C-alpha cells in the first residue's frame, strides 16, 4: 500500500492543448479516490500519468516515497484495469489471471490460491477453462479486474472498469469493489464519468473539468456543499434546480425567484458567510429535488410554492415531479465543459418548457396525488437552498464541511470566455 501525491501535474499535447492543468492531489495510503467528470476533462489522462502510460509535461508524481516521473510502468508496483479488457486471447481465464504472478515468479501454490480467491470473488469459477472469445463483455471485464486483484500491488488504478456491464451487474460489482477495498485497504484511483458510481464507491471524489480540479471532498460533502455551479449540477441525480433570484427584506429575509417570494429566516442568512452582502442584488439560487416535498406530506412550517406538473416519474419508493417554473434556465460558462459537446448542444437547444420558462424537479412521497397538467403545492426545506454569485458561478457561504476542498482558482473566479 502507498500514498500517492500529485503536485502541479500537467499534460500538454502538441499544439499547446492542456489535457491536465496543474493538478495537485494528496491521496492517503488506503484511500479510494474517484476521478469524475464529463468526457474530455482529463481524468483518464491523469490516471495514465500515475500509471506511467503517459509522460508528464510538468509537475511531480510520488507513489510511496518514490518520485516516479521517469519510472517505467512495470517498476511502479501498480495494477491497472482498463475499460477494454486487454486480455490475452489465446489464454484461458485461469491463465490470464495467473499471468502477472508467473512473470513475478510467484510460487505455484500461491498463484493457485490467489487465482481461486479472485475467481470466487468475481463469480468466475465456472469459466476458468474458457478463453476470452467464449465470454460475454461483462465476464471479460471481471477477468481483467481479477488479474489486477491477484497482484496485491501498492495501488489499483481503474479506468471505467464497469462501463461494459449491464445495470444489475454494475450494482453488484460496485458492492464487491467496496467490499474488496474495505478488506484489502489498498490505495485505489478509480476513473468514471458516472457520478452515481463516484458517489457510491469513493471515500473521496475529485471533480474535474477541462483538465482542472474543481473540488475534492467526500461524496456527501460534495453533495451538501458544492464549491461552484459546475459541481452543484454535476453531482446529484436528478440535478440541482437553478434559477436567477434576488434577496430582499420584507419583514424578514425573502428569496424572490420566478413568481415566488419565499421567507428564508435570519438564521439561514447568518449561517452562509457573505450572503448578507447580496441583499437587493441578483444571484443564482439552487435547490435539490430532495429539498422539496408534496405539501400534503411535509411539515406545516415549510413555505409553499406552486408548480404545474409536466411529467411524473414513478420510481416505486419515490416520485419525481417535473414541473414548470416561470424563469429562464440558468446557463453559465462555468457549467459547460469545453470538450463536452452534448452539454453545449443541450444549452443551445430550445428549452422544452418554452421561451422564458424552465423545468424543475421535485422528489416527493410516492403517495402523491400529483398528476400531469395539475397544479401542486410543493413545500420547500429552506435549509437546502444553495446560493451562487451570478458573475463567477462560485458558491456563496456554503455550509462548513469536515473534509478538505480546493480553493477557487483564478480560472474558476472568472467566466471562461474561450
Amino acid at each position: 500500500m502507498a500514498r500517492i501525491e500529485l503536485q502541479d501535474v500537467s499534460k500538454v499535447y502538441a499544439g499547446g492543448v492542456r489535457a491536465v492543468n496543474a493538478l495537485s492531489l494528496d491521496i492517503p495510503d488506503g484511500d479510494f479516490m474517484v476521478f469524475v467528470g464529463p468526457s474530455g476533462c482529463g481524468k483518464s489522462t491523469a490516471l495514465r500519468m500515475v500509471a506511467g502510460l503517459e509522460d508528464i509535461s510538468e509537475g511531480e508524481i510520488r507513489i510511496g516515497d518514490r518520485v516516479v516521473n521517469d519510472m517505467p510502468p512495470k517498476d511502479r508496483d501498480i495494477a491497472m484495469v482498463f475499460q477494454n479488457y486487454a486480455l490475452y486471447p489465446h489464454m484461458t481465464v485461469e491463465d490470464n489471471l495467473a499471468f502477472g504472478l508467473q512473470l513475478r515468479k510467484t510460487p505455484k501454490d500461491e498463484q493457485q490460491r490467489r487465482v481461486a480467491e479472485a475467481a470466487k470473488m468475481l463469480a468466475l469459477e465456472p469459466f476458468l477453462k474458457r478463453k476470452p472469445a467464449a465470454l460475454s463483455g461483462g465476464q471479460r471485464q471481471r477477468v481483467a479486474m481479477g488479474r489486477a486483484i491477484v497482484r496485491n500491488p501498492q495501488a489499483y488504478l481503474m479506468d471505467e472498469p464497469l462501463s461494459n456491464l449491464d445495470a444489475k451487474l454494475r450494482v453488484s460489482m460496485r458492492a464487491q469493489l467496496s467490499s474488496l477495498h474495505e478488506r484489502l485497504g489498498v490505495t485505489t484511483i478509480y476513473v468514471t464519468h458516472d457520478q452515481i458510481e463516484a458517489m457510491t464507491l469513493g471515500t473521496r471524489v475529485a471533480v474535474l473539468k477541462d483538465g482542472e480540479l474543481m473540488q475534492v471532498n467526500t461524496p456527501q460533502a460534495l453533495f451538501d456543499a458544492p464549491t461552484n455551479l459546475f459541481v452543484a449540477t454535476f453531482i446529484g441525480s436528478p440535478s440541482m434546480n437553478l434559477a436567477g433570484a434576488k434577496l430582499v427584506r420584507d419583514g424578514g429575509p425573502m428569496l424572490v425567484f420566478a413568481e415566488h417570494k419565499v421567507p428564508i429566516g435570519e438564521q439561514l442568512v447568518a449561517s452562509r458567510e457573505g450572503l448578507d452582502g447580496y441583499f437587493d442584488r441578483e444571484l443564482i439560487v439552487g435547490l435539490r429535488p430532495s429539498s422539496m416535498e408534496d405539501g400534503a406530506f411535509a411539515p406545516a412550517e415549510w413555505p409553499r410554492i406552486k408548480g404545474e406538473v409536466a411529467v411524473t416519474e414513478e420510481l416505486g419508493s419515490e416520485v419525481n415531479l417535473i414541473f414548470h417554473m416561470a424563469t429562464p434556465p440558468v446557463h453559465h460558462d462555468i457549467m459547460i465543459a469545453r470538450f463536452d459537446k452534448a452539454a453545449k448542444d443541450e444549452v443551445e437547444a430550445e428549452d422544452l418548457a418554452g421561451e422564458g420558462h424552465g423545468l424543475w424537479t421535485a422528489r416527493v412521497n410516492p403517495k402523491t396525488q400529483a398528476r400531469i397538467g395539475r397544479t401542486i403545492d410543493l413545500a420547500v426545506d429552506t435549509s437546502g437552498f444553495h446560493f451562487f454569485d451570478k458573475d463567477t458561478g462560485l458558491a456563496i457561504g456554503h455550509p462548513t464541511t469536515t473534509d478538505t476542498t480546493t480553493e477557487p482558482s483564478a480560472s474558476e473566479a472568472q467566466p471562461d470566455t474561450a
Side-chain angles (χ1 to χ4, degrees), residues 150-349:
V150 299
R151 288 266 313 280
N152 291 341
Q154 285 195 92
Y156 293 129
L157 307 181
M158 301 187 179
D159 192 358
E160 304 203 46
L162 307 186
S163 61
N164 293 323
L165 306 184
D166 62 55
K168 183 177 180 180
L169 191 53
R170 286 182 74 158
V171 173
S172 172
M173 287 300 300
R174 286 205 304 260
Q176 291 183 22
L177 274 172
S178 294
S179 175
L180 174 72
H181 180 261
E182 184 71 23
R183 187 173 68 198
L184 299 180
V186 178
T187 310
T188 302
I189 302 178
Y190 187 102
V191 164
T192 182
H193 66 275
D194 184 338
Q195 56 96 6
I196 295 177
E197 204 166 276
M199 297 284 281
T200 54
L201 278 174
T203 53
R204 288 195 305 156
V205 177
V207 183
L208 287 87
K209 168 183 170 282
D210 296 342
E212 296 191 359
L213 182 65
M214 295 284 101
Q215 188 174 4
V216 57
N217 216 318
T218 63
Q220 192 62 47
L222 290 177
F223 184 86
D224 291 337
T227 196
N228 59 42
L229 282 168
F230 178 80
V231 179
T233 53
F234 192 83
I235 297 296
S237 181
S239 183
M240 182 184 288
N241 302 298
L242 299 175
K246 182 179 285 189
L247 273 179
V248 299
R249 289 196 180 275
D250 185 5
M254 296 278 184
L255 185 63
V256 180
F257 61 97
E259 299 172 339
H260 309 293
K261 181 183 281 188
V262 178
I264 59 173
E266 295 286 359
Q267 185 176 355
L268 177 61
V269 175
S271 69
R272 309 295 173 88
E273 184 178 356
L275 184 59
D276 56 356
Y278 280 81
F279 277 99
D280 299 316
R281 291 173 56 187
E282 291 187 353
L283 46 70
I284 295 171
V285 65
L287 190 67
R288 295 204 180 276
S290 53
S291 292
M292 288 180 282
E293 179 58 278
D294 184 330
F297 302 97
E301 63 270 19
W302 286 13
R304 265 62 173 171
I305 63 174
K306 291 185 181 297
E308 181 188 336
V309 179
V311 178
T312 62
E313 298 178 338
E314 298 183 12
L315 304 176
S317 60
E318 60 202 19
V319 173
N320 289 335
L321 298 180
I322 301 174
F323 60 96
H324 292 279
M325 181 65 72
T327 182
V330 172
H331 300 154
H332 196 287
D333 287 341
I334 202 172
M335 297 165 60
I336 307 301
R338 187 166 61 241
F339 301 113
D340 190 354
K341 187 177 185 303
K344 290 183 180 179
D345 289 345
E346 182 180 341
V347 167
E348 291 167 0

Side-chain angles (χ1 to χ4, degrees), residues 346-395:
E346 182 180 341
V347 167
E348 291 167 0
E350 182 179 356
D351 193 273
L352 293 175
E355 186 177 353
H357 286 70
L359 292 173
W360 274 32
T361 303
R363 178 172 286 172
V364 303
N365 192 295
K367 296 180 181 178
T368 182
Q369 296 301 305
R371 296 293 182 268
I372 295 173
R374 296 182 186 176
T375 298
I376 183 175
D377 280 334
L378 289 164
V380 177
D381 178 3
T382 57
S383 68
F385 276 124
H386 296 257
F387 305 93
F388 303 91
D389 185 274
K390 183 181 178 183
D391 295 324
T392 66
L394 299 179

